[in-house]
Amino acid sequence: MKGMESELISGYREGFLWKRGRDNGQFLSRKFILSEREGALKYFNKQDARDPKAVMKIETLNATFQPAKIGNPCGLQITYLKDNSTRNIFVYHSDAKEMVDWFNAIRAARFHYLQVAFPGASDEELVPKLTRNFMKEGFMEKTGPKHTEGFKKRWFTMDDRRLMYFKDPLDAYARGEVFIGSKENSYTVLAGLPPSTQGYHWNHGITIVTPDRKFLFACETEAEQRDWIAAFQRVINRPMRPQEYAVEAHFKHKP
C-alpha cells in the first residue's frame, strides 16, 4: 500500500500492458508511462525506443473497463482526443490488480489535473469527471447526409455528447462523430424515419434533428430503439455547459 501511495503522490507509473494493434488486431506487449508532470500517458512500440508512439494528454484521457468487447476479463478501453477526434486504445493485463492499479492511477492523474483546471470546484464536483462509462453502445444502421445512400450497419458509441460510429467495435478511430447538443439549441430526437426514406433493413428508425441536418439511424429491435432514444433524450434535455459550445463549433467546422 505504501508503494502505491507514493506512486500516486509522485504521479508517475510505468509498466507493460498488452495493447491491441491498430491494423492487425494482435495484442502485443507495450511499455506505458503515465506522468503527471508531463500531463500525459505515453506508450512505446519498442522497449528501448526513445520517442513514444502516442502521447495522450491527461486533459482528454478516459478509461473504462470493457471485458466483453476486448475479450479479456481485465480489458480496458482508453480514449483520448487527437486533433479533436477520439482515438481508442485497447489494453489488458493478465493480473487483475495490475489493471485496476493502472485504472486508479489514471483517475488520480485526472483528479490532480482537474483540481488545477477548476480551482474553485469541490472534490464532490470533480469525482464524476475523473472517468466515465459510455452512455450506450451497440449496432445501428446509418445512411449518409443525402439520405439516398443505402443504410450500413455500424457500431455506435455514445460518449457524453459525442456519438461516434465505427465499422468494427475495436476500431482505433471512428468513421464519424456527431455532436448532440441540447433542446434549447434546436436538437431533437424522433422515433421513426421520414416517409420517403429507403434502403434500410432494420425497421425501428430514429431521426436526430440538429441545427444543420437530420441524421437517420435504424435499430434491429424496438427495445434497442427505445434505449437509444432514451440515451439521446437524456443528453438533449441537459443544458449545454460553456465549454461544450466550443466543442459544438469545432464539429460544425470539421471538413
Side-chain angles (χ1 to χ4, degrees):
M1 185 64 192
K2 196 161 176 49
M4 171 89 170
E5 282 173 0
S6 63
E7 190 175 69
L8 294 182
I9 290 164
S10 70
Y12 183 90
R13 181 180 182 87
E14 73 170 78
F16 286 85
L17 298 171
W18 292 95
K19 179 196 163 289
R20 188 179 192 272
R22 190 181 79 183
D23 301 318
N24 60 15
Q26 279 184 310
F27 280 90
L28 297 167
S29 180
R30 294 289 181 251
K31 181 180 173 184
F32 281 78
I33 293 177
L34 177 66
S35 170
E36 277 188 38
R37 187 174 56 78
E38 294 179 44
L41 172 67
K42 302 181 286 189
Y43 82 86
F44 299 80
N45 261 1
K46 294 191 173 67
Q47 203 165 336
D48 55 354
R50 293 178 63 180
D51 297 322
K53 179 70 176 166
V55 177
M56 308 163 234
K57 289 186 177 169
I58 288 170
E59 178 186 353
T60 67
L61 204 58
N62 186 43
T64 175
F65 282 103
Q66 293 274 26
K69 192 158 135 185
I70 294 171
N72 185 281
C74 306
L76 191 73
Q77 181 173 349
I78 296 170
T79 63
Y80 68 102
L81 292 184
K82 183 179 178 184
D83 304 324
N84 216 50
S85 291
T86 304
R87 165 83 158 99
N88 295 321
I89 289 194
F90 302 97
V91 297
Y92 74 86
H93 197 283
S94 54
D95 180 353
K97 182 186 178 303
E98 180 74 12
M99 205 66 260
V100 170
D101 286 351
W102 270 103
F103 178 70
N104 287 334
I106 289 170
R107 283 175 63 85
R110 286 272 306 155
F111 184 62
H112 297 146
Y113 160 76
L114 291 166
Q115 282 180 315
V116 175
F118 302 98
S122 68
D123 290 359
E124 288 73 24
E125 289 173 287
L126 296 182
V127 165
K129 294 183 168 73
L130 300 186
T131 52
R132 62 194 179 275
N133 293 325
F134 301 134
M135 293 179 74
K136 180 158 176 60
E137 288 194 287
F139 284 108
M140 287 194 289
E141 292 185 334
K142 69 167 289 294
T143 186
K146 294 180 183 155
H147 302 168
T148 52
E149 307 91 328
F151 278 67
K152 291 187 174 128
K153 182 178 168 185
R154 293 289 181 256
W155 176 266
F156 284 81
T157 296
M158 182 84 177
D159 184 9
D160 198 37
R161 290 197 185 273
R162 284 176 183 261
L163 176 67
M164 298 169 275
Y165 56 91
F166 306 84
K167 196 167 182 185
D168 183 273
L170 294 171
D171 282 347
Y173 290 99
R175 290 296 178 98
E177 301 190 37
V178 180
F179 181 85
I180 310 288
S182 66
K183 58 187 178 187
E184 292 87 354
N185 298 80
S186 306
Y187 288 83
T188 51
V189 58
L190 308 167
L193 298 169
S196 58
T197 311
Q198 294 179 328
Y200 54 89
H201 310 94
W202 290 348
N203 292 322
H204 306 280
I206 298 175
T207 301
I208 292 182
V209 182
T210 78
D212 297 325
R213 61 173 272 205
K214 290 178 179 176
F215 291 90
L216 309 185
F217 308 115
C219 301
E220 190 172 15
T221 66
E222 195 177 337
E224 274 290 284
Q225 178 198 41
R226 205 167 41 239
D227 288 351
W228 275 110
I229 288 174
F232 293 138
Q233 201 65 61
R234 273 202 306 278
V235 174
I236 288 169
N237 286 345
R238 196 178 74 216
M240 277 167 61
R241 299 190 295 267
Q243 58 267 42
E244 290 174 336
Y245 283 97
V247 178
E248 181 190 41
H250 178 84
F251 270 78
K252 286 183 175 173
H253 296 123
K254 267 190 173 181

